[in-house]
Amino acid sequence: MLILSGGTGTPKLLRGLVRVIDPEEITVVVNTAEDLWISGNLVSPDLDTVLYTLADLIDEERWWGIRGDSFITHTRLKEIGVRERLSIGDADRAFHILRSDVIRRGGTLSDATEKIREALGIRSRVFPMSDDSVSTIITTPLGDMHFQEFWVERRGEPEVIGVRFEGIDDAKPSSGFIEALRREKTVVIGPSNPVTSICPILSLKGVRDAMADKITVAVSPLDGDRPFSGPAARFMRAVGVEPDDAGVISILGEVDHFIVSRSSSYPGRCIRIDTRMDSIEESTRLAKEILRLVG
């Protein structure tokens, strides 16, 4: 089974899937369009969230970073005048250093991800969507800004006029992603932000065509007509679709099974169930429903 993932929503689903499927039968391909270099190290927020979730290290209060991490280095850097866009924990930073060292030595993001996966003892396969650089750029009345500047530094407050993925036209799917598309018969599009988390993955050359003969399941990230969390509604309006499940499916494209919340207004063919995943039990229940659909 191939899972397309961003941060937060899909990792919550993953913690249920690994309880009902052999983790070695799961391949996760993760959005990297929100990556950025901080203090000399490459931070891959969505990749890290997926890896830490699969390793049972994720801070489930924030759904980023490592549970119980300290912030000594970040605090000291701030004290000496170094401004970091994200608050990076000490243990978290160690994996960023490993990733960056691999890349500086000529390796790819996929190579670095594999080293981290092995170090954490993760049995599922995990790949970045691409080894090429792609950046999510948010257009606002204040000018263009990287997603992390918009969401973290400016707390998502500026009006969103547009969203684009810088570098997407030249980026290729990672070799691990290509191989998974050849091998896997089922693709699950997780409940991550459809614009900034899933759209970059689907926009890579050849991905939509390769998915055409797969059994596809999409889980909406909306609760009724509102996102469970994050700025998805504003991003959807910025790309010209309504912030509802009809808008979600217009971004994702045709799928075999579309899972929505019980309160969804979506008029098309879908499966209405409780899609909340506030607990492992709820995540597991949704994972079992996905397995039922794909046989």
Side-chain angles (χ1 to χ4, degrees), residues 75-217:
T75 301
R76 183 54 56 89
L77 285 168
K78 186 175 181 180
E79 290 171 351
I80 62 177
V82 177
R83 174 176 168 269
E84 293 190 314
R85 282 187 171 178
L86 305 178
S87 297
I88 301 170
D90 298 314
D92 190 11
R93 193 183 300 268
F95 292 106
H96 302 164
I97 292 171
L98 171 58
R99 173 185 296 129
S100 306
D101 187 54
V102 170
I103 292 171
R104 288 193 185 95
R105 292 172 182 267
T108 64
L109 181 56
S110 290
D111 295 332
T113 303
E114 180 62 12
K115 282 190 174 292
I116 295 171
R117 186 188 74 88
E118 290 177 350
L120 292 174
I122 295 168
R123 295 169 58 200
S124 301
R125 300 179 185 91
V126 181
F127 300 105
M129 68 177 199
S130 177
D131 288 319
D132 300 314
S133 178
V134 179
S135 296
T136 298
I137 304 298
I138 312 300
T139 300
T140 78
L142 303 176
D144 290 353
M145 57 187 71
H146 189 279
F147 174 87
Q148 300 298 347
E149 178 183 352
F150 167 82
W151 185 236
V152 179
E153 290 184 58
R154 298 182 181 271
R155 301 181 180 181
E157 293 173 355
E159 177 188 353
V160 180
I161 299 172
V163 180
R164 73 177 190 275
F165 308 114
E166 203 167 81
I168 194 72
D169 291 340
D170 297 321
K172 301 186 293 283
S174 65
S175 58
F177 189 6
I178 293 171
E179 175 56 31
L181 284 169
R182 289 174 181 158
R183 181 184 65 248
E184 302 295 344
K185 297 178 180 179
T186 301
V187 179
V188 176
I189 303 174
S192 296
N193 189 312
V195 177
T196 55
S197 293
I198 302 300
C199 193
I201 303 175
L202 297 178
S203 297
L204 290 165
K205 293 176 184 177
V207 169
R208 288 188 186 273
D209 288 343
M211 288 175 54
D213 62 347
K214 310 295 182 185
I215 299 172
T216 52
V217 180

Side-chain angles (χ1 to χ4, degrees), residues 58-64 67:
I58 191 70
D59 183 337
E60 293 183 356
E61 293 292 320
R62 301 176 299 179
W63 280 98
W64 59 267
R67 182 173 58 247

